[in-house]
Amino acid sequence: MIRHDVVEPILLEVDQIYHLACPASPVHYKFNPVKTIKTNVVGTLNMLGLAKRVGARFLLTSTSEVYGDPLQHPQVETYWGNVNPIGVRSCYDEGKRTAETLTMDYHRGANLEVRIARIFNTYGPRMCIDDGRVVSNFVAQALRKEPLTVYGDGKQTRSFQYVSDLVEGLMKLMEGDHVGPFNLGNPGEFTMLELAKVVQDTIDPNARIEFRANTADDPHKRKPDITKAKELLGWEPKVALRNGLPLMVQDFRTRIFGDQKQQQQQPDGSE
């Protein structure tokens, strides 16, 4: 384990590089947009340079955000997207698009072995509790007896894959023979209101829903076409939202209420 910022070069001897470095929730990547785009561009350049020097296979974790607010539904890998290049999300969307460009240029120009995954919304235990993504927001809010905040009319859709499905997909991509890009996501599509209902059913049927104004450049629809991953990688997600969500809730409950208990306890162990 080495704690290191990929924006700075690093010398290592490795066989494979899974390049996942980048804040992925809007709250985090909008916090310091210049740092986000540097991570995506300079960080990716550094990791590609490392892969070239040591002859490593390089896997880029790109994102469904490369499709922007898609005019095609569901999204296939050949779709070029509909992205705002000057918006508040552009540091992430365009940063990842540039990372894909760099990856393919190294592949063509330096004969580097590369793999590109486009990851769709993923959830599971050990996520940041307040990371601003919709599943973690809803779960944390329901556990804390707060209203579930829905932005806009709640009719925008997302697809949610459980983290173990994604890990399996990334490993199959790395070990396989195909460059990609590959959509890795769960084609099960939910509106925000349907997701809120699943969270209510799982945690608290009486949880209230509170509507707020929508955020800028929020995609209206998001659903992966995973035909390519099924055919070439032999991969498809196995965990349905109703099965995966309780595992995440269990983890969040432990961390939210466990932390509270520790805070209440005095240093000598008394309450």
Side-chain angles (χ1 to χ4, degrees):
M1 185 76 160
I2 301 170
R3 190 180 177 113
H4 180 79
D5 183 343
V6 291
V7 172
E8 306 297 331
I10 188 168
L11 293 169
L12 297 167
E13 290 295 325
V14 293
D15 301 311
Q16 296 180 338
I17 298 172
Y18 285 84
H19 178 44
L20 295 97
C22 187
S25 86
V27 171
H28 291 160
Y29 65 64
K30 289 179 193 172
F31 176 73
N32 188 341
V34 174
K35 180 67 177 182
T36 298
I37 203 156
K38 277 173 84 173
T39 303
N40 278 321
V41 178
V42 182
T44 300
L45 265 173
N46 283 335
M47 292 300 104
L48 284 163
L50 171 62
K52 183 184 171 187
R53 277 196 305 277
V54 300
R57 183 176 287 183
F58 177 88
L59 185 150
L60 172 71
T61 55
S62 186
T63 170
S64 58
E65 294 292 336
V66 299
Y67 301 124
D69 191 1
L71 304 174
Q72 183 193 83
H73 193 77
Q75 294 82 57
V76 294
E77 289 88 351
T78 48
Y79 177 53
W80 289 355
N82 175 41
V83 179
N84 175 2
I86 55 169
V88 291
R89 301 170 75 111
S90 307
C91 60
Y92 186 67
D93 302 4
E94 296 289 32
K96 286 289 191 183
R97 284 164 71 97
T98 307
E100 288 196 16
T101 304
L102 287 166
T103 302
M104 291 309 295
D105 284 340
Y106 264 79
H107 175 59
R108 287 185 290 255
N111 279 329
L112 195 66
E113 278 195 33
V114 302
R115 306 286 183 264
I116 299 174
R118 290 177 179 161
I119 298 173
F120 283 66
N121 283 42
T122 306
Y123 69 97
R126 296 170 62 188
M127 283 179 84
C128 274
I129 288 172
D130 297 306
D131 82 345
R133 282 184 275 195
V134 67
V135 183
S136 42
N137 272 3
F138 281 0
V139 169
Q141 286 166 339
L143 288 169
R144 290 168 174 155
K145 304 290 186 199
E146 296 166 1
L148 311 185
T149 47
V150 171
Y151 293 89
D153 59 8
K155 295 202 172 80
Q156 64 273 48
T157 70
R158 295 290 182 275
S159 307
F160 303 103
Q161 73 177 329
Y162 191 67
V163 62
S164 59
D165 284 332
L166 172 62
V167 171
E168 188 200 1
L170 290 174
M171 289 170 73
K172 282 195 166 176
L173 173 56
M174 178 65 99
E175 303 301 338
D177 299 321
H178 302 280
V179 170
F182 285 95
N183 289 337
L184 295 183
N186 191 321
E189 188 180 16
F190 292 80
T191 68
M192 296 303 94
L193 289 172
E194 286 167 344
L195 173 65
K197 177 78 173 70
V198 176
V199 171
Q200 285 173 324
D201 292 346
T202 308
I203 301 172
D204 178 7
N206 300 317
R208 282 191 312 111
I209 293 173
E210 196 174 85
F211 289 92
R212 295 207 187 149
N214 206 356
T215 52
D217 296 329
D218 189 41
H220 292 95
K221 283 183 177 294
R222 187 67 90 227
K223 178 184 178 176
D225 182 312
I226 59 166
T227 308
K228 189 174 167 185
K230 275 183 179 173
E231 288 176 357
L232 297 181
L233 302 179
W235 174 85
E236 63 180 312
K238 301 184 182 77
V239 183
L241 182 64
R242 286 187 181 274
N243 298 335
L245 195 66
L247 302 172
M248 178 175 172
V249 170
Q250 194 179 348
D251 168 70
F252 267 44
R253 186 175 270 128
T254 304
R255 284 193 290 151
I256 290 172
F257 298 116
D259 287 352
Q260 283 180 2
K261 279 177 193 156
Q262 281 163 12
Q263 284 163 11
Q264 285 165 3
Q265 233 172 11
Q266 301 302 321
D268 63 359
S270 61
E271 290 293 325

